[in-house]
Amino acid sequence: MPLRDLPTESKAAAALLRTDLITHRRTIRRSGRHGVALACLAAGTAFSVLLPVPMGTGCYLWRATTQPVSGRGAALALPVAIVLLVLLDRLSADRFGLRRQVRSIGTAAIGVVTVAAWTGFAAQGRPSCATSPAVIGTIVCGTLATAVAAHWATRSAAPWTVPEDESEAVSAEPLNQSELRAVFVQLGAQVDSWTHFRFRLFPFVSGALAVLLALSTVLPWRELVDPVALGPTASEAGLARSQLWEIPSARAWAVIVCGLAVATLVSSGLVRRAAAVATGSTVVAGLVSQLLWLPAGLASGVGYRPAIGAWTALCLGLLLCVAGLLGARRVVLAGAAVVGVLAGVLVPSAVGAPYQPSVVAGVPHRLLDLQGGQLVDRLGMRVAIGTSDPLDSLAGTLDGSPGQWLLGRTGSESSTVFAYDDGVALPQVTLNHGTTPPALWGVTDNHMVLLAGGALGQPWAILSVPLDLVSADVSLSHKNQDGSYYVTPGVDILATGVGPALSHRNADRSIVVWGSTTTWQIPANQLRKGMQLTDFVIDPGPGAPGNAVSSGPDGTTAWRTSETGLAMVRPGGVPQQLTGVAPAGCALSSDAASSSMTVDAFAVDVRGNLWLGGGAPTSVITPDGVLRKLPGGAEGVDSIEARPDGSVLLGTSPGGGNQVLQIPDAASAAASYPAAAAPEPRCDRRKPVDGTTPFRASAVSSVPVVDARQGAAGVSTQLALDAAGRLVRIRVPLAARAFAPDGQGGVWWTVVGRRSTESAVHLVRGQATLVRDLQPVPANQKGEFAAAAGDRLVTAVGPGVYNFYGPDGVVRRVEVNGELRPGGLVQLASGQVAMVLGEQLVLVADDGRTTVLLGGSPSGWPISATGVPASQWTADGSWFAGPDGKLWGYDGSHLVRVNAPGQVTVIAGPRQGVPQAADQVTVIGPALYFQLGNDLIRLEAAG
C-alpha cells in the first residue's frame, strides 16, 4: 500500500519533525558551557581593570601626552565586547546562519580589542606594565575569551529546520510520498552542504590569512625597548617606528611576501595550498633571519625587540603552513616550502654588515648625510637634526668610552635624543625645549649634559638629564617658588646665566661656553651639580672674553679676537695674529696672516694643529706655522670639532643639505698635507712696517652704559664722555638714522621728522644741540652714513647726495658722483670731507669739488706699503679723523696718515703697540680706542 495512503504514518512523521524542531530550538537557545565561560572571563577582566591599584605604576592604556593618563575606561571595552557577544548569541538563536555570523564577528571583535589593549599596555616597554593587574587581567582574559569564542563559532552543529510555510501544512494534512521525499532531500542537502563547507574551510582560511599577512607588512616592523610615546601624537613625540616598505634591505622581502599572498588569494585548489605554504614559509624564514641579525644592543646599552607586526607575521606564517599542508599532496607542498625558506633566508638582512666608509688619508668622508636636514638610518628611521648646527646635535661620551648620541627634532618645540651607532638610531629621551633647541654636549654616568636656552636676553642653563627618563621639560619657561628654573624632577641644573650663550667641545675634553662678555672653559669631568662658573672664566688674550676659544691637550690655544680676527698662542710662545690683517683679495697662502680669509669655525686638535673653515677652503695650520689645504676639499664649513681620538668633524651645508664630514686621521696626517703657495708680495704680512711714533697700549676696564637722554634709550652704543668727563657708552636713540663720534667726546646723530626733513643732534657732555635741515630727504634713500669732527657733521642722505653741517648751523646740500662704500665717510676739522668712492679715496670740498688722494686698483697694495705708486694703494680699511684733525687710516695692523694726494706716512704698526684686526676705532681727544670683541684697548702716544 503506498505511503501516502497511510495517514497514520504521515501524521507520525509530521509529529516527529515538529518534535525534533521544538527540541532543537530549546537546545540552541541555551548558551551552554561556552557562554558561561565567556561570562566568567568578562567578569574577571572587569575586576582586573577596576581593581584599585596605586597610580604610581606608570602604566596606562594610551599615552597621547607626556603626562600619565588613566586607561581604565578604555580597557573596559574588552568585557563589554564579551558580554555583547553572549547577548547577541541568545537573540539570534532562532536563525542559525545569523547566529554563526554573530559568533564569528564577535570572535574577531574580541581578538581586535585584546590586541589593542596589548598594544596600549605592554608595547610601552615600561617595567611597571609587566606587573600591572590591568595588563595581566586584560591580556590573559582577552586571549582566553578569543579562544573560547573561536571554538564556539567553529563547533556549532547544523540545524534540522524546515521552511515555516511547510511546517504548518504538514501539521494540517497528511504528507504524500513526494512531499516526504522533498523534506528528506532538503534536510540531506543542508547536512551535505555543511560537511562540504568543512572540507573547503582550509582554502578559505589560507586566503584570509594571506590578506592579514599582506596587511601585516604595513604594521610596525620594529619597536624599541623604551618607546618614547604611543598614541595619536607619536609622530611628534619621538616614537620610532618603521614599516617594511621603509626599510631598504627588507623592501624586497616585503615584495615577495605580498606577491605570494596575492597568489594565494587568486588561485584555488592545490595551487592555493602550495602558494599558502610558500607564503608562510617565506614569512617564517625571512622574519627569523631578520630577527637574528638585529643588534642585541648599541654601545649605550639600548637594544631592539620584535614589534607587534613581526610577531603577527610569524603567527600568520605558521598558520598558513598548517592550513596548506592539511589534506594536500605533500610532495608539491614540500617543494613550495623549500622554495619559501630559501627565498626568506637569501633576502638581505634588515641590518646587514656594519658600515665601513672608504677612507683616503686626509680626505673627509660623510659621517652623516642630512638631505634637507634629515637623517635616514639603515633601518629606514628618519631623524631631523635638532639644531641649525649639525655638530650641536651629534655628541659622544665625555669620558671617551664608546657611544654616540644624536639630537633629533620631533616637534616644533620638542626634540628627542637618540642612541646612534653603526647607522642605527634608537630614541632615548624626549625634550620639551620651547622655541630654542638645546645643544647636546655628551653623555656621562648615564646622564646627558646639554646647554638649554641661550637666546638673546633669555635664560640658559647647563643641565644633566638622566637617560632613563621618558621625557623632560628643559624649556626654562617657568620658575619655582624659590626662584630657580623649573625642570622635570630628576634633571639637575648645573649652572645658569642669561643669553646669548654658545658652546663647542674641545679636543682636551673640555666644553667652552661664551656669552655676551665672558667665556668659560669647563673640563668634562667637572660638569657636576654645585659647580661655580666663576671658577672656569678664561681670557687667553685681547678679544677673548665673550668669544669662542679652542684648546688642545698640548696647551695650544686659539681664540677669536673680533669679527674677522683670529689669534693663537702655543706653549711657551707669544700670541700671534692669524687672520683679519691681510689686504682684500689675497689668495690662500702658506702664511695665514697673509691670506684674506673668512673664518667661520676653528678647532685645535690633539697635536696642536689649528683647523680653519668658512668662506675660504678648509685648511689647517700645523705646529711649524705653515698653512696647508685639506686634500679633497670641503667647502662651506660652518662648524668644526676636534675630537680626543684625533679625528676632526666638519659641519657643512652644501646645496642646502647638511652634512657631517669626518677626517679619521686628521691629527696625525695634517703634517703630510701639501703646503699652500708662498704669499704674494703685496699680501705678505710676515714683516710689519715700523712706524714713526711709539704708542702706549692699555686695556680699559668696564665702561658704563648710559642713555643719551631720558626716555630715549636705544640698542646701539657709542663711546663718549659724560658731563663729568668719564668714558661711557651712550645709547643712541632708536629713532636715529645714523650716528658718529665727533672726536672730542661728543656724539652726533640724525633723525627724520614728519615732513621728511633731517635733523641733527649734537650731544656734548650731557648738553644737546639741535640743527635742522629744511630741505626734504630724497625719497630713494636706502641707507644713511654719518661722520663728524667737533661741531661739523656730514651725512649721506641719498645716492650721491650729502648734507654738510657747519659750525654756524647752516646746512649745505652737496652732490658727489660715485658710489660711497659703507663706513667710507670722514669729516675733517678743516671742513673738507674724505670719501671712499669705489676703489678711490677722494677729498671733497664744501662746494663739491673732488681730489683723488690714493687708490684705484681693485687689488691694491696695503696703505702701509712703501715705494708703491698712490694709484696701487688700496682704499680698504677704516678711515677717520685722527687726533691731529688730519685723515688717518687703519688697515688692520698699521696706522697711517694721508698728508696730501699720494703722500702717506706710517705712524705706527704692531711693533709700536697697534692692536690687530680691531672691529672699530674711535678717537677721543689724543687717544685712540680699539674695539676687540668685548675688550677695549686705549692707544696713546708715548711721548
Side-chain angles (χ1 to χ4, degrees):
M1 187 174 182
L3 184 62
R4 64 174 178 270
D5 297 330
L6 297 175
T8 305
E9 293 183 6
S10 62
K11 292 180 179 179
L16 179 61
L17 290 175
R18 287 195 300 271
T19 303
D20 274 349
L21 183 60
I22 294 173
T23 304
H24 189 71
R25 284 182 175 178
R26 290 177 178 176
T27 302
I28 62 178
R29 283 183 182 274
R30 301 172 184 170
S31 299
R33 292 171 297 178
H34 296 87
V36 175
L38 288 176
C40 294
L41 291 173
T45 306
F47 176 77
S48 63
V49 172
L50 299 177
L51 180 67
V53 293
M55 293 303 295
T57 58
C59 188
Y60 33 84
L61 184 58
W62 297 112
R63 184 160 67 89
T65 66
T66 57
Q67 300 298 326
V69 178
S70 175
R72 292 175 178 174
L76 288 176
L78 180 58
V80 170
I82 298 174
V83 172
L84 286 177
L85 173 60
V86 176
L87 293 177
L88 291 176
D89 178 77
R90 295 295 303 272
L91 294 176
S92 61
D94 293 340
R95 301 180 62 184
F96 174 74
L98 177 60
R99 191 178 199 183
R100 186 171 60 189
Q101 294 178 0
V102 167
R103 292 181 179 179
S104 301
I105 296 174
T107 302
I110 294 176
V112 169
V113 174
T114 302
V115 172
W118 178 49
T119 303
F121 279 122
Q124 296 182 45
R126 302 172 68 86
S128 57
C129 288
T131 58
S132 173
V135 174
I136 297 174
T138 302
I139 302 304
V140 172
C141 294
T143 303
L144 293 177
T146 303
V148 172
H151 185 272
W152 200 14
T154 56
R155 294 299 178 181
S156 298
W160 295 74
T161 60
V162 295
E164 294 291 340
D165 56 344
E166 296 183 8
S167 61
E168 295 298 331
V170 169
S171 61
E173 59 184 32
L175 292 174
N176 57 27
Q177 187 174 11
S178 300
E179 293 171 343
L180 190 59
R181 184 183 300 110
V183 171
F184 282 106
V185 168
Q186 181 183 3
L187 296 177
Q190 290 187 8
V191 176
D192 292 340
S193 65
W194 172 243
T195 304
H196 291 318
F197 176 78
R198 293 182 60 187
F199 285 105
R200 293 197 303 268
L201 180 63
F202 294 113
F204 285 108
V205 170
S206 300
L209 291 177
V211 172
L212 294 177
L213 183 60
L215 293 178
S216 73
T217 60
V218 298
L219 291 177
W221 159 252
R222 62 185 173 95
E223 200 167 61
L224 307 173
V225 168
D226 189 9
V228 179
L230 190 65
T233 60
S235 60
E236 295 183 357
L239 177 63
R241 291 213 172 181
S242 183
Q243 298 175 354
L244 288 175
W245 298 109
E246 297 176 348
I247 302 177
S249 58
R251 192 172 298 145
W253 177 83
V255 170
I256 294 175
V257 170
C258 289
L260 291 174
V262 171
T264 307
L265 293 176
V266 301
S267 59
S268 61
L270 184 61
V271 177
R272 172 176 288 175
R273 292 192 178 99
V277 172
T279 307
S281 56
T282 302
V283 171
V284 174
L287 271 176
V288 170
S289 63
Q290 302 292 332
L291 296 178
L292 290 177
W293 280 96
L294 284 175
L298 300 183
S300 61
V302 179
Y304 291 91
R305 71 175 181 192
I308 301 173
W311 289 117
T312 303
L314 278 176
C315 295
L316 293 177
L318 292 173
L319 290 176
L320 277 174
C321 293
V322 173
L325 288 174
L326 290 179
R329 297 179 182 178
R330 303 301 175 86
V331 177
V332 177
L333 297 185
V338 171
V339 173
V341 170
L342 291 178
V345 172
L346 295 180
V347 170
S349 141
V351 176
Y355 172 64
Q356 294 293 339
S358 57
V359 178
V360 180
V363 177
H365 70 84
R366 295 178 183 177
L367 180 65
L368 294 180
D369 195 357
L370 311 171
Q371 299 298 329
Q374 189 177 74
L375 167 74
V376 180
D377 75 353
R378 293 191 300 116
L379 292 181
M381 181 163 157
R382 292 172 174 82
V383 178
I385 288 301
T387 61
S388 57
D389 183 359
L391 293 187
D392 278 346
S393 298
L394 183 65
T397 55
L398 295 176
D399 59 358
S401 58
Q404 192 91 307
W405 279 264
L406 188 67
L407 182 68
R409 183 67 70 89
T410 50
S412 60
E413 296 186 356
S414 63
S415 298
T416 299
V417 177
F418 296 82
Y420 183 76
D421 189 22
D422 194 23
V424 178
L426 294 170
Q428 296 268 272
V429 184
T430 295
L431 302 175
N432 301 312
H433 49 66
T435 56
T436 304
L440 182 62
W441 288 354
V443 173
T444 179
D445 296 332
N446 202 37
H447 286 67
M448 62 177 174
V449 183
L450 52 87
L451 175 67
L456 183 62
Q458 299 299 317
W460 57 265
I462 303 174
L463 303 178
S464 177
V465 183
L467 288 175
D468 53 5
L469 285 180
V470 175
S471 70
D473 183 359
V474 297
S475 61
L476 307 179
S477 57
H478 303 287
K479 284 189 175 183
N480 300 317
Q481 295 181 353
D482 58 358
S484 61
Y485 294 108
Y486 169 78
V487 291
T488 300
V491 177
D492 293 330
I493 299 179
L494 308 184
T496 60
V498 178
L502 300 171
S503 67
H504 68 76
R505 296 175 290 266
N506 282 335
D508 60 357
R509 302 192 192 282
S510 65
I511 309 293
V512 172
V513 184
W514 63 96
S516 57
T517 59
T518 311
T519 300
W520 303 272
Q521 185 170 5
I522 311 170
N525 59 2
Q526 298 189 36
L527 288 166
R528 55 179 177 265
K529 192 173 182 180
M531 56 178 285
Q532 299 294 327
L533 284 179
T534 54
D535 298 337
F536 306 103
V537 176
I538 60 169
D539 185 7
N547 276 329
V549 176
S550 180
S551 60
D554 65 343
T556 301
T557 303
W559 68 96
R560 191 179 297 280
T561 61
S562 60
E563 292 183 2
T564 59
L566 191 69
M568 180 179 65
V569 61
R570 296 192 180 275
V574 295
Q576 53 180 324
Q577 194 72 29
L578 300 177
T579 62
V581 295
C586 291
L588 204 67
S589 65
S590 58
D591 179 48
S594 304
S595 308
S596 55
M597 63 176 71
T598 301
V599 178
D600 295 326
F602 62 96
V604 178
D605 66 18
V606 294
R607 295 197 177 185
N609 302 301
L610 176 61
W611 297 82
L612 309 175
T618 304
S619 55
V620 55
I621 302 176
T622 48
D624 56 4
V626 178
L627 183 68
R628 306 172 189 271
K629 290 184 180 180
L630 176 67
E635 304 296 333
V637 174
D638 301 324
S639 54
I640 300 179
E641 177 186 342
R643 292 197 159 183
D645 60 359
S647 64
V648 168
L649 301 184
L650 309 175
T652 68
S653 301
N658 295 333
Q659 292 180 355
V660 176
L661 307 180
Q662 183 184 31
I663 311 175
D665 58 346
S668 58
S672 63
Y673 298 166
E680 301 176 16
R682 75 173 185 89
C683 299
D684 196 340
R685 310 296 280 179
R686 292 173 292 184
K687 296 180 180 179
V689 180
D690 289 336
T692 59
T693 306
F695 281 85
R696 180 176 61 253
S698 59
V700 179
S701 58
S702 59
V703 180
V705 180
V706 299
D707 295 335
R709 52 187 177 184
Q710 190 69 26
V715 177
S716 301
T717 62
Q718 177 63 58
L719 284 175
L721 300 177
D722 63 4
R726 297 174 302 178
L727 184 66
V728 295
R729 291 187 183 273
I730 295 180
R731 291 193 184 98
V732 182
L734 290 174
R737 300 288 293 271
F739 58 92
D742 65 0
Q744 299 176 3
V747 179
W748 283 87
W749 69 81
T750 62
V751 294
V752 176
R754 297 179 180 177
R755 299 180 180 179
S756 298
T757 58
E758 184 182 74
S759 300
V761 179
H762 189 197
L763 181 67
V764 180
R765 299 199 176 213
Q767 299 295 325
T769 304
L770 180 64
V771 181
R772 298 182 184 275
D773 177 23
L774 301 180
Q775 303 181 62
V777 175
N780 58 350
Q781 181 184 11
K782 296 182 179 179
E784 188 170 350
F785 306 101
D791 51 5
R792 296 181 181 272
L793 173 70
V794 58
T795 61
V797 295
V801 182
Y802 303 88
N803 277 350
F804 284 29
Y805 292 80
D808 52 1
V810 177
V811 182
R812 288 181 293 275
R813 182 70 54 86
V814 179
E815 295 186 6
V816 181
N817 295 327
E819 183 179 357
L820 179 69
R821 285 191 187 179
L825 190 62
V826 182
Q827 174 70 64
L828 301 177
S830 62
Q832 295 177 312
V833 175
M835 302 180 185
V836 180
L837 302 177
E839 301 294 338
Q840 292 182 330
L841 178 65
V842 301
L843 193 64
V844 182
D846 55 4
D847 57 1
R849 291 180 300 173
T850 61
T851 302
V852 178
L853 297 177
L854 56 85
S857 175
S859 59
W861 287 69
I863 54 179
S864 59
T866 57
V868 178
S871 60
Q872 296 297 314
W873 278 326
T874 180
D876 296 332
S878 300
W879 300 96
F880 52 92
D884 56 2
K886 296 184 178 180
L887 179 61
W888 284 35
Y890 173 69
D891 64 354
S893 59
H894 294 81
L895 286 174
V896 300
R897 180 174 58 235
V898 181
N899 302 314
Q903 297 181 12
V904 175
T905 300
V906 179
I907 299 176
R911 296 176 182 174
Q912 285 77 44
V914 176
Q916 300 181 70
D919 291 325
Q920 185 180 3
V921 182
T922 303
V923 177
I924 299 180
L928 290 86
Y929 293 88
F930 292 79
Q931 187 73 41
L932 286 89
N934 291 300
D935 284 337
L936 190 63
I937 306 299
R938 178 169 52 208
L939 202 66
E940 297 176 299

